[in-house]
Amino acid sequence: MRPGVLWLMAGLSLSIAGCAVTQPESNEPPPLSEASFNARILELESQFTQQCNSHSELQTRQLTQQQALTADVREVGSLLRYLRQDVQQLDTRSEEPVVIREECAVDDVLTTKTLVGRSEWVGLSSIGTYLKARVDSGANTSSLSASDITRFERDGEDWVRFKLALTDDDVVVESVRGEWIEAPIERRVRIVQASGEASRPVISLLMTLGPISENVEFTLNDRSHLDYPVLLGRRFLLDIALIDVAETYLHDRPEFPGGEPAEQAAEDEAVDDDDSEE
């Protein structure tokens, strides 16, 4: 065999051997370990959390700014409405000044208390009669004209028996004249007079005067020498009534069986001596 051919065959053999030994280079990254993988996941999670927090804070700031801006817009709109009204008033205002009067405050006392005159009709339902009464804020306790006052005991309690002390001119349901009346004694009061001291029993009776219906305490004493068989004092007036001393009989006379109609009360009222004093 020729020497040139041998050299060519030797070169080809070396080339084939070299191709079999040499491996091509790979572009893929080396595989990650489990620790590296977990660390990378935690890093990505931290970055994502920070981005979310930053986005939330941005939204909160934007919402706050939007609310403040909305409030400012509303305030400006309100001011513009008031300004427009003022301008319209200036355009339509006449040369004469407008006087704004301050309204007076209404005292609740005038709306919650009943107005009564210096003389009124009262009704005593437990006795069954009407009587004339003098309203007097100078007296403390109310008084009822009584005679034949007798104290007695009933069921261990102090009671009193009496009759109405009336004159022939006193207006009353006639059937109760001279009738005995009984009531428990609430207490006793000490009366100081020029002639000395006296103790009087106090009883409680349901009394009506116009719209008023109250239990009223009365001292019992003979008032037949006075013009009115009933005196209404401060204890009755307290918190429920006011006196108009220029008026009399502002309220209708109550009606009772055996008594006169309320329409006839004017005739009995006309005989009053307004100049008389208690």
Side-chain angles (χ1 to χ4, degrees):
M1 185 177 291
R2 293 180 181 180
V5 175
L6 292 174
W7 284 105
L8 178 61
M9 291 178 64
L12 289 172
S13 298
L14 291 174
S15 297
I16 293 172
C19 290
V21 175
T22 304
Q23 297 292 334
E25 294 182 359
S26 177
N27 294 328
E28 295 182 0
L32 294 176
S33 64
E34 182 179 357
S36 299
F37 177 78
N38 292 334
R40 181 58 177 166
I41 291 298
L42 292 175
E43 182 181 357
L44 292 174
E45 183 180 356
S46 177
Q47 292 177 359
F48 180 75
T49 301
Q50 291 177 358
Q51 291 177 357
C52 289
N53 292 337
S54 300
H55 184 68
S56 177
E57 292 177 358
L58 179 61
Q59 285 185 332
T60 302
R61 288 197 300 270
Q62 289 177 345
L63 180 60
T64 302
Q65 293 174 356
Q66 181 181 359
Q67 291 176 347
L69 181 60
T70 302
D72 292 340
V73 171
R74 289 178 179 175
E75 184 177 0
V76 171
S78 178
L79 293 175
L80 287 176
R81 285 194 297 271
Y82 286 126
L83 181 60
R84 187 180 298 109
Q85 292 176 1
D86 293 340
V87 172
Q88 292 176 353
Q89 291 178 0
L90 288 175
D91 293 339
T92 59
R93 183 176 298 174
S94 61
E95 295 180 357
E96 297 181 359
V98 177
V99 179
I100 301 177
R101 300 184 182 276
E102 182 179 359
E103 295 183 359
C104 298
V106 178
D107 192 349
D108 290 340
V109 172
L110 300 178
T111 60
T112 58
K113 292 189 177 183
T114 301
L115 187 66
V116 299
R118 64 180 182 273
S119 302
E120 291 287 353
W121 290 104
V122 297
L124 301 175
S125 57
S126 60
I127 299 177
T129 186
Y130 44 72
L131 292 170
K132 287 183 178 180
R134 167 70 77 181
V135 184
D136 184 6
S137 61
N140 184 28
T141 307
S142 301
S143 179
L144 176 65
S145 185
S147 63
D148 300 321
I149 302 171
T150 306
R151 177 185 172 278
F152 67 98
E153 186 173 316
R154 175 177 291 172
D155 297 330
E157 297 181 354
D158 291 333
W159 280 60
V160 66
R161 180 184 296 111
F162 63 95
K163 297 179 180 180
L164 292 177
L166 303 173
T167 66
D168 294 338
D169 295 330
D170 287 328
V171 182
V172 66
V173 175
E174 289 300 324
S175 60
V176 305
R177 282 185 182 269
E179 292 294 320
W180 285 103
I181 303 167
E182 296 180 349
I185 297 176
E186 300 292 331
R187 58 190 177 91
R188 302 186 70 88
V189 295
R190 185 169 60 91
I191 306 298
V192 179
Q193 298 176 326
S195 58
E197 296 184 2
S199 177
R200 296 175 182 172
V202 178
I203 64 172
S204 178
L205 297 175
L206 179 63
M207 190 198 77
T208 59
L209 193 169
I212 300 174
S213 180
E214 293 285 336
N215 285 312
V216 180
E217 288 189 343
F218 293 95
T219 60
L220 298 179
N221 66 295
D222 192 343
R223 296 176 52 85
S224 58
H225 60 289
L226 300 172
D227 294 326
Y228 296 86
V230 176
L231 177 71
L232 296 180
R234 291 192 302 274
R235 284 180 176 268
F236 161 73
L237 297 171
L238 188 64
D239 297 331
I240 62 173
L242 293 174
I243 307 175
D244 185 349
V245 295
E247 298 291 341
T248 58
Y249 302 108
L250 295 177
H251 304 280
D252 295 336
R253 183 172 68 185
E255 296 185 350
F256 290 93
E260 299 294 335
E263 293 78 6
Q264 298 182 10
E267 300 177 5
D268 298 324
E269 296 166 4
V271 300
D272 283 358
D273 182 8
D274 291 336
D275 294 331
S276 63
E277 296 182 358
E278 288 292 327

